[in-house]
Amino acid sequence: MSWLTNFVRPKIQSLVRPREVPENLWDKCPQCGNMIYRRDLEKTFYVCPHCGHHLRLPAKKRLDMLFDEAKYQRIELPKNHADPLKFRDTKRYRDRLLTAQKTTGESDALVVMTGTLEGLEVVTAAFEFRFMGGSMGIAVGEAVLAAAKLAVLQEAALIVVPASGGARMQEGVLSLMQMPRTIIAADMVKEAGLPYIVLLTDPTTGGVSASFAMVGDITLAEPGAVVGFAGARVIEETIHEKLPEGFQRAEYLFDHGMVDLVVPRAELRATLGRILGLLRDPQPQGAVASVTRAVS
Ligand SMILES: [Zn+2]
């Protein structure tokens, strides 16, 4: 009987057993609470089809979306001394890093790629928010600098896409030093006469918003993105006043002149292509009448 129980029965069971349902088929919109089928989300670039909320994107997906036909080359980033302060809170910082590396598949919170966007050469540095809240430590500072150097070398535009909670506190003052460092990186690109474009995504806060994220030649933002330095609740408690509706949102910043354009995700690539095209090729499209002839 053993061949019946050991061989035949499992075979029959495997034929009649319903296939296992893969996990994570559905996502919940954090804005309207509706359930969204994962495949629908992929089609809408992770924008909720019910309320238009722009969900946070992993860095890899963001880059897939921005580059032409998702063709790009990943730039290997300099290796850093992890955990310079041997920091420990409830967990060792070194262990937190290892966990984040395992869950995201990235070495730190910034991913740098080079490729073409609407046919134009670009270097893009996108934050991985899932990596310790996209916090900026030495590795991120180093990566922003590497991206800027590469843009200058390739005479390409630099696009940075922040999604960050701010400086990485586990690296203490060393994380704060990345603020001037990243400003120097942005300046390198500008001094070379190349476009430095920032795309603010949800959330861009703390030390990141207080450094390279706010000095773009052109600053774009995704709808509804929270952009600010300190959290709204902290500010309310400090100044003992109620903050206006929509405070620290992309649209509010646009209304107050801090952002040049709020662009829905589906239009991002075309918009960036148009801006880059204008900045990289400022030649007039039509024939220009000579000034001397016009005067005579
Ligand atoms: Zn929604």
Side-chain angles (χ1 to χ4, degrees):
M1 284 295 278
S2 68
W3 69 275
L4 270 176
T5 47
N6 294 344
F7 182 73
V8 177
R9 191 199 279 168
K11 275 273 177 204
I12 292 170
Q13 277 176 342
S14 71
L15 285 174
V16 295
R17 192 186 298 146
R19 280 204 191 146
E20 277 182 29
V21 180
E23 282 179 33
N24 302 328
L25 269 178
W26 296 85
D27 276 296
K28 192 177 179 183
C29 170
Q31 181 83 15
C32 68
N34 276 313
M35 297 303 285
I36 320 161
Y37 190 39
R38 176 64 65 87
R39 208 175 284 172
D40 289 342
L41 265 187
E42 304 260 350
K43 276 187 218 153
T44 57
F45 304 105
Y46 280 73
V47 175
C48 172
H50 306 286
C51 70
H53 177 71
H54 284 51
L55 280 86
R56 288 174 186 166
L57 272 183
K60 178 77 176 45
K61 280 204 166 23
R62 164 78 58 194
L63 293 159
D64 280 345
M65 208 186 80
L66 284 180
F67 285 103
D68 292 340
E69 292 152 21
K71 272 193 215 145
Y72 45 71
Q73 203 185 339
R74 182 183 277 265
I75 303 305
E76 199 168 327
L77 298 168
K79 290 265 174 291
N80 291 290
H81 177 61
D83 197 6
L85 305 179
K86 310 242 175 303
F87 190 86
R88 185 190 185 115
D89 45 69
T90 49
K91 261 193 207 171
R92 290 195 310 169
Y93 172 42
R94 191 175 286 266
D95 293 337
R96 284 189 193 277
L97 276 177
L98 285 174
T99 313
Q101 282 164 350
K102 221 176 188 176
T103 49
T104 61
E106 303 295 346
S107 60
D108 212 291
L110 195 70
V111 182
V112 181
M113 305 265 195
T114 175
T116 59
L117 187 155
E118 300 278 318
L120 294 157
E121 290 281 333
V122 289
V123 175
T124 304
F127 272 73
E128 177 56 72
F129 188 74
R130 294 175 305 152
F131 197 108
M132 299 188 70
S135 52
M136 176 166 71
I138 301 169
V140 168
E142 199 72 52
V144 175
L145 213 53
K149 282 182 187 163
L150 183 71
V152 173
L153 200 71
Q154 294 189 341
E155 293 187 22
L158 176 62
I159 303 173
V160 293
V161 188
S164 169
R168 189 172 293 168
M169 287 304 131
Q170 289 87 346
E171 292 185 18
V173 74
L174 296 168
S175 70
L176 299 181
M177 285 177 187
Q178 306 315 310
M179 291 164 66
R181 261 185 115 199
T182 52
I183 290 283
I184 291 169
D187 280 349
M188 276 168 53
V189 179
K190 292 179 183 192
E191 278 162 21
L194 298 162
Y196 172 62
I197 294 177
V198 180
L199 166 61
L200 300 167
T201 68
D202 187 59
T204 302
T205 55
V208 168
S209 74
S211 58
F212 65 95
M214 281 295 161
V215 294
D217 293 324
I218 305 274
T219 305
L220 308 180
E222 283 197 328
V226 169
V227 181
F229 183 66
R233 192 171 47 85
V234 176
I235 300 174
E236 278 187 337
E237 280 170 11
T238 311
I239 62 171
H240 303 293
E241 261 183 60
K242 188 101 189 82
L243 291 167
E245 184 74 22
F247 183 71
Q248 286 184 332
R249 295 277 168 186
E251 294 76 7
Y252 185 91
L253 293 174
F254 172 73
D255 288 342
H256 291 80
M258 297 290 285
V259 162
D260 296 307
L261 214 55
V262 178
V263 190
R265 201 170 276 166
E267 295 165 23
L268 261 178
R269 199 152 73 92
T271 308
L272 277 168
R274 202 170 60 243
I275 291 169
L276 285 176
L278 287 168
L279 292 175
R280 296 311 308 271
D281 185 22
Q283 305 298 322
Q285 297 295 310
V288 178
S290 139
V291 176
T292 45
R293 234 173 65 196
V295 170
S296 64

